[in-house]
Amino acid sequence: MTKPNTDLHNLTIAELHRGLQQKQFSSHELTEHFLQRITQLDTELNCFISVDAERALLLADEADQRLANGDTADLLGIPIAQKDIFCTRGMRTSCGSKMLDNFVPPYDATVIARMQQAGAVMLGKTNMDEFAMGSSNETSYYGPVKNPWDTNTVPGGSSGGSAAAVAARLAPAATGTDTGGSIRQPAALCGITGLKPTYGRVSRYGMIAFASSLDQGGPMTRSAADAAVLLNTMVGHDPLDSTSAHAVCPDFTKQLPKSIKGLRIGLPKEYFDQRLNTAMADKVHEALQHLTALGAELVDIELPNSALSVPAYYVIAPAEASSNLSRFDGVRYGYRCENPTDLEDMYTRTRSEGFGDEVKRRILVGAYALSAGYYDAYYRKAQQIRRLIKEDFVKAFEKVDVIAGPTSPSPAFALGAKQSDPVEMYLEDIYTIAVNLAGLPGMSIPAGFINKMPVGLQLVGNYFDESTLLNTAHQYQQVTDWHQRSPID
Amino acid sequence: MTISKEQIIQTAKLARVKLNDNEMDDITQRLSSILELVDQMQAVDTSAVEPMANSLDAVQTLRVDLVDEPADKIARRNELLEGAPACEDGLFLVPRVID
């Protein structure tokens, strides 16, 4: 063995792939190594809701068998943490909710099935805000995740467990989902790389729905190069998802080495106005200097309707959620209240006892916005604003290849700091939400530290142009080492 | 726009969610502040804008209407029912609806 086992958690996916192919270590050893780290470190961090070591080692043994047979698939034998929103056959999928605390899906999400076919080893299911509704991971039924950079602060959300697990090296990579920033914001707050693909790129089949016209799964990794490998496995048309795109899927690893000379990077003036704090602005400008040194050009652009993205989102997302979450009625699966007196009582008590406060709030907002007399003023209006927001981006992409700005308004905040005011929490996603409304791909990459806490640079790409995002991020990561910093040895 | 307690009670009823009396003030205040945020939209004239339901303006895809039941449908049905809070004779069991 050329590398001691203690180093395994610091290797990139490409290095792990090479090590497995060259028999420097087995998938079994690799999986055991990460399971041990989870045992050691996760009691405090709370990244995982479920870990099934036996199942993981069984998958690792299968991968070792395929490796022995000469299979060279990129993800073969590599342990991956899956957000607990993706249905896993035979393994509890809670979505961070008491409602699904006992739910064992009878089928796999397409993302899970594709990863399994590729030979990835599922380490466990990661913690998240309940039904992905939150920006701090504090709404989880299983308690908050702690940010490994400072355990008194939040990891961001909703994919907080995945972000913290990757940052703390409890998994080489993880999956997340992003409805309003749930991959990018926790990636920023935990100092990792997160990519939300174009709407329709990654199948939503078996991914428990929050707001179906916005939800999108994507990779959460330590680097853009790792993200490209995961994305290759996750994308592609799926007949089981009626909104799945028929777009061509390139090999996302192929364009990584390309020069970004001449790349036009748009800076929306609305993202750099007085609301952006100075420390964050400095970090973004520092990152942009690296990109211009690599030959990129900065172009001033406008996204005049961007201020309306948070209001429009907080109608559309709750409206879709109130409809999606009507399926949780205590009849077919999940929680049912004790001794219901009649059907009505069963529905109402099941939902009142099974859902947490933030989920109930969003259901109420959504039901209100969709109710007779308010539909036009709220839901229809929000859909009209949504088009204006999209048109802003379409216009901007006539002049630029990528749009850059901060991922979040500030670094990680203290646990509990924003729980009393929902609107303050919602503004956490002010820079990420418009991207979901427009359906564009967006990415967050580590861009340095403020008071020892990581911050992210957000890159937004044109429709189905994840390649340019990954290429830009990868070139940036060739000249910076923020993405290699680790909170824990 | 502010929301009254009565409107919240009515909406909660429609959504099959029961709120405790001691939650009411808190939720009224929180929902009002969300609706205040949302009301920022009203400042924009959107009379000429077509609402957008899908960011790619995609239309609903349809498949050929063919039965594609799995060969092991009984086994699959049993697997589905295993997760049900209550079932009997291959059916989901709920409280009596008609006396």
Side-chain angles (χ1 to χ4, degrees):
Chain A
M1 207 171 281
T2 51
K3 269 196 181 291
N5 263 353
T6 48
D7 267 338
L8 289 174
H9 54 272
N10 285 319
L11 299 183
T12 66
I13 290 185
E15 286 165 346
L16 290 172
H17 174 71
R18 214 173 304 128
L20 287 164
Q21 290 292 328
Q22 295 171 356
K23 311 279 188 287
Q24 288 171 14
F25 44 81
S26 66
S27 176
H28 191 101
E29 287 167 316
L30 189 60
T31 303
E32 236 168 17
H33 178 77
F34 281 104
L35 289 170
Q36 269 169 23
R37 276 184 76 78
I38 293 169
T39 309
Q40 276 166 18
L41 298 165
D42 203 41
T43 313
E44 184 179 14
L45 295 175
N46 201 27
C47 299
F48 285 88
I49 290 173
S50 305
V51 175
D52 184 343
E54 207 176 306
R55 179 179 172 136
L57 291 170
L58 208 68
L59 290 169
D61 291 339
E62 281 172 27
D64 282 328
Q65 194 54 53
R66 280 172 66 176
L67 283 159
N69 293 339
D71 193 333
T72 59
D74 284 340
L75 281 182
L76 180 58
I78 294 181
I80 305 281
Q82 301 287 2
K83 185 175 181 179
D84 206 21
I85 197 168
F86 291 104
C87 285
T88 44
R89 189 170 184 172
M91 184 162 178
R92 190 255 303 260
T93 301
S94 74
C95 219
S97 182
K98 178 183 178 185
M99 186 64 89
L100 293 176
D101 183 50
N102 64 359
F103 176 55
V104 178
Y107 68 101
D108 279 323
T110 296
V111 163
I112 300 290
R114 287 192 177 166
M115 291 243 182
Q116 194 152 322
Q117 274 156 22
V121 173
M122 179 169 68
L123 273 178
K125 308 291 296 287
T126 57
N127 204 343
M128 55 182 285
D129 280 297
E130 185 179 6
F131 286 106
M133 297 177 190
S135 307
S136 68
N137 220 115
E138 293 170 295
T139 72
S140 169
Y141 175 61
Y142 302 91
V145 176
K146 311 287 173 61
N147 189 318
W149 292 94
D150 174 354
T151 52
N152 295 312
T153 66
V154 303
S158 67
S159 312
S162 289
V166 172
R169 275 59 171 161
L170 303 185
T175 54
T177 60
D178 191 315
T179 304
S182 281
I183 286 176
R184 290 160 288 156
Q185 185 258 12
L189 270 46
C190 289
I192 67 158
T193 301
L195 171 66
K196 180 203 93 73
T198 309
Y199 182 77
R201 258 295 189 212
V202 172
S203 169
R204 292 185 300 105
Y205 179 72
M207 194 177 105
I208 296 170
F210 161 13
S212 305
S213 79
L214 305 165
D215 297 343
Q216 187 60 198
M220 301 182 76
T221 54
R222 296 214 305 270
S223 69
D226 286 358
V229 177
L230 253 71
L231 192 61
N232 274 349
T233 303
M234 296 175 81
V235 297
H237 177 71
D238 179 9
L240 298 172
D241 170 4
S242 67
T243 58
S244 170
H246 281 277
V248 175
C249 298
D251 178 343
F252 293 103
T253 61
K254 282 275 156 55
Q255 282 203 49
L256 294 173
K258 218 178 73 178
S259 158
I260 59 162
K261 200 167 173 344
L263 182 85
R264 298 165 303 167
I265 300 177
L267 306 181
K269 72 167 198 218
E270 294 80 5
Y271 290 9
F272 292 90
D273 64 11
Q274 70 287 353
R275 282 172 306 181
L276 181 63
N277 79 57
T278 336
M280 188 61 85
D282 288 349
K283 289 295 149 194
V284 174
H285 286 298
E286 245 174 64
L288 292 171
Q289 274 169 21
H290 284 294
L291 292 168
T292 49
L294 289 164
E297 295 161 23
L298 303 181
V299 182
D300 289 324
I301 58 164
E302 286 182 18
L303 299 171
N305 292 293
S306 64
L308 294 169
S309 59
V310 175
Y313 177 88
Y314 278 98
V315 171
I316 291 171
E320 293 186 13
S322 78
S323 166
N324 271 324
L325 271 60
S326 64
R327 73 190 54 163
F328 300 106
D329 56 7
V331 174
R332 292 151 302 160
Y333 46 79
Y335 180 77
R336 177 188 286 192
C337 68
E338 298 275 342
N339 306 317
T341 53
D342 58 23
L343 198 59
E344 184 80 27
D345 178 57
M346 186 185 83
Y347 292 151
T348 306
R349 276 204 294 127
T350 292
R351 292 165 62 78
S352 306
E353 294 165 16
F355 290 136
D357 289 345
E358 179 62 18
V359 173
K360 281 189 231 173
R361 264 198 296 278
R362 297 206 196 186
I363 288 174
L364 289 179
V365 170
Y368 182 68
L370 291 175
S371 61
Y374 298 101
Y375 182 92
D376 282 353
Y378 287 118
Y379 191 64
R380 189 182 153 84
K381 184 85 184 178
Q383 286 193 314
Q384 289 169 318
I385 303 265
R386 188 175 180 184
R387 183 173 299 281
L388 296 178
I389 289 164
K390 176 191 168 162
E391 283 169 357
D392 283 355
F393 278 108
V394 169
K395 223 167 129 192
F397 278 115
E398 286 169 7
K399 291 198 290 184
V400 301
D401 307 302
V402 168
I403 293 172
T407 305
S408 64
S410 57
F413 46 92
L415 285 154
K418 296 192 180 182
Q419 276 190 318
S420 57
D421 182 0
V423 170
E424 203 187 326
M425 187 71 91
Y426 294 174
L427 293 174
E428 190 55 30
D429 296 328
I430 191 161
Y431 300 116
T432 48
I433 270 177
V435 177
N436 298 78
L437 290 169
L440 293 161
M443 194 167 182
S444 180
I445 52 174
F449 293 80
I450 296 176
N451 297 328
K452 297 184 179 162
M453 295 305 286
V455 295
L457 173 76
Q458 181 176 219
L459 299 172
V460 181
N462 210 339
Y463 292 102
F464 299 105
D465 193 14
E466 291 84 0
S467 289
T468 300
L469 285 185
L470 288 161
N471 171 225
T472 310
H474 180 69
Q475 290 306 313
Y476 173 80
Q477 291 178 341
Q478 300 309 294
V479 295
T480 56
D481 70 350
W482 305 123
H483 64 292
Q484 289 166 348
R485 307 289 178 92
S486 165
I488 297 166
D489 285 337
Chain B
M1 193 183 287
T2 52
I3 186 166
S4 66
K5 276 188 194 175
E6 290 66 38
Q7 285 171 306
I8 291 178
I9 291 166
Q10 174 60 19
T11 308
K13 196 168 171 251
L14 290 172
R16 300 292 185 268
V17 171
K18 194 174 157 40
L19 301 167
N20 300 328
D21 290 341
N22 54 10
E23 293 180 298
M24 270 322 277
D25 285 338
D26 183 55
I27 199 127
T28 308
Q29 187 226 319
R30 284 171 187 255
L31 289 194
S32 294
S33 79
I34 295 169
L35 292 175
E36 214 172 282
L37 166 85
V38 159
D39 274 338
Q40 292 171 15
M41 294 190 306
Q42 309 304 341
V44 188
D45 178 12
T46 52
S47 50
V49 183
E50 185 68 21
M52 186 173 88
N54 175 292
S55 51
L56 302 168
D57 282 317
V59 290
Q60 181 65 51
T61 49
L62 301 172
R63 62 169 174 80
V64 184
D65 189 17
L66 287 175
V67 175
D68 59 352
E69 283 180 333
D72 58 344
K73 62 180 178 182
I74 301 292
R76 292 291 288 152
R77 185 178 73 175
N78 291 339
E79 197 179 351
L80 283 164
L81 287 168
E82 259 171 47
C87 60
E88 201 176 284
D89 300 334
L91 301 167
F92 296 110
L93 201 62
V94 295
R96 183 187 296 274
V97 180
I98 303 163
D99 286 320

